[in-house]
């Protein structure tokens, strides 16, 4: 049995869910989403605002897809009902960010400014030039964008300058001793 796959998903009141063949369609206040279901290995059913995913047989391969399918559906439901948010902080002297249309302009201590294109579906809010808030309804996309932004200036372990996410732990190293 898959520990994750056997958990049922409660559908929020403001979300409409329907299954047409192997396509699961969801519509909520934050947008629409469609997921292609694996009907060869798994059964997906909706009863009394509870969505359940069950395996057709208990092979090891099916257990993996069972948990994955349930997680993808749950992440999509959370995204279209509540949305996802990631907060990034810029730590360092002179590190700044500003919004120019659909691009973020970074000043990260290099000899040039860095322009970062924000993909469709992500909204960006910049507070105090050092705090960037990313909002969206796709967990995978928002995580990828946050990862790409953090890659522009990774945190160095001695002075901890760079781009970090809220709650990210950075182990500080001790400097060179005389």
């Amino acid at each position: 049995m898959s520990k994750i796959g056997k958990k049922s998903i409660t559908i929020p009141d403001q979300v409409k869910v329907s299954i047409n063949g192997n396509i699961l369609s969801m519509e909520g206040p934050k947008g629409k989403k469609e997921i292609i279901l694996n009907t060869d290995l798994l059964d997906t059913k909706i009863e009394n605002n509870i969505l359940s995913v069950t395996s057709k047989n208990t092979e090891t391969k099916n257990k993996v897809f069972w948990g994955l399918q349930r997680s993808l559906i749950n992440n999509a439901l959370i995204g279209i009902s509540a949305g996802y948010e990631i907060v990034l902080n810029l730590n360092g002297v002179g590190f700044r960010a500003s919004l120019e249309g659909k691009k973020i302009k970074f000043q990260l201590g290099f000899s040039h400014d860095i322009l970062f294109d924000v993909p469709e579906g992500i909204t960006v809010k910049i507070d105090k030039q050092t705090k960037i808030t990313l909002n969206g309804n796709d967990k995978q996309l928002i995580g990828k964008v946050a990862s790409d932004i953090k890659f522009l200036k990774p945190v160095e372990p001695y002075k901890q300058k760079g781009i970090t996410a809220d709650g990210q732990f950075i182990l500080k190293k001790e400097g060179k001793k005389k």
Side-chain angles (χ1 to χ4, degrees):
M1 295 292 286
S2 171
K3 292 180 183 180
I4 296 171
K6 66 183 175 183
K7 294 180 183 177
S8 59
I9 303 169
T10 304
I11 301 170
D13 293 333
Q14 66 268 21
V15 177
K16 296 176 185 174
V17 179
S18 64
I19 299 174
N20 298 325
N22 67 339
I23 296 176
L24 178 73
S25 301
M26 297 176 272
E27 185 176 345
K30 299 274 184 178
K32 296 178 182 178
K33 192 88 171 172
E34 287 188 349
I35 295 177
I36 299 172
L37 301 173
N38 189 348
T39 55
D40 297 335
L41 304 174
L42 306 168
D43 287 328
T44 307
K45 297 176 186 170
I46 303 170
E47 295 175 353
N48 301 330
N49 274 350
I50 295 177
L51 194 139
S52 61
V53 180
T54 55
S55 179
K56 290 185 178 176
N57 58 17
T58 57
E59 293 178 20
T60 306
K61 179 179 158 185
N62 286 11
K63 290 180 188 178
V64 175
F65 286 117
W66 188 10
L68 173 70
Q69 189 76 48
R70 190 250 179 222
S71 293
L72 291 174
I73 293 169
N74 191 42
N75 290 342
L77 276 173
I78 292 170
I80 63 170
S81 63
Y84 289 101
E85 177 179 277
I86 295 179
V87 178
L88 301 174
N89 297 312
L90 278 70
N91 302 319
V93 177
F95 287 13
R96 294 186 197 112
S98 60
L99 198 58
E100 296 180 354
K102 289 293 284 180
K103 294 186 178 193
I104 304 173
K105 181 180 175 184
F106 288 101
Q107 296 174 344
L108 300 173
F110 300 122
S111 62
H112 58 284
D113 295 342
I114 299 171
L115 290 175
F116 183 83
D117 293 326
V118 179
E120 199 66 35
I122 302 289
T123 58
V124 178
K125 183 177 149 190
I126 298 179
D127 299 330
K128 302 186 289 184
Q129 296 181 340
T130 59
K131 187 175 180 182
I132 302 167
T133 306
L134 304 172
N135 290 313
N137 63 2
D138 190 354
K139 186 175 185 178
Q140 183 179 358
L141 180 63
I142 199 167
K144 172 87 169 89
V145 170
S147 176
D148 289 345
I149 290 174
K150 287 175 16 180
F151 185 72
L152 296 175
K153 187 70 173 183
V155 179
E156 55 95 9
Y158 296 102
K159 294 186 179 179
Q160 296 186 339
K161 293 181 178 180
I163 302 172
T164 60
D166 265 3
Q168 180 181 353
F169 176 75
I170 306 295
L171 182 66
K172 188 171 184 176
K173 290 185 178 178
E174 190 174 340
K176 189 175 178 181
K177 294 187 178 184
K178 292 183 181 181

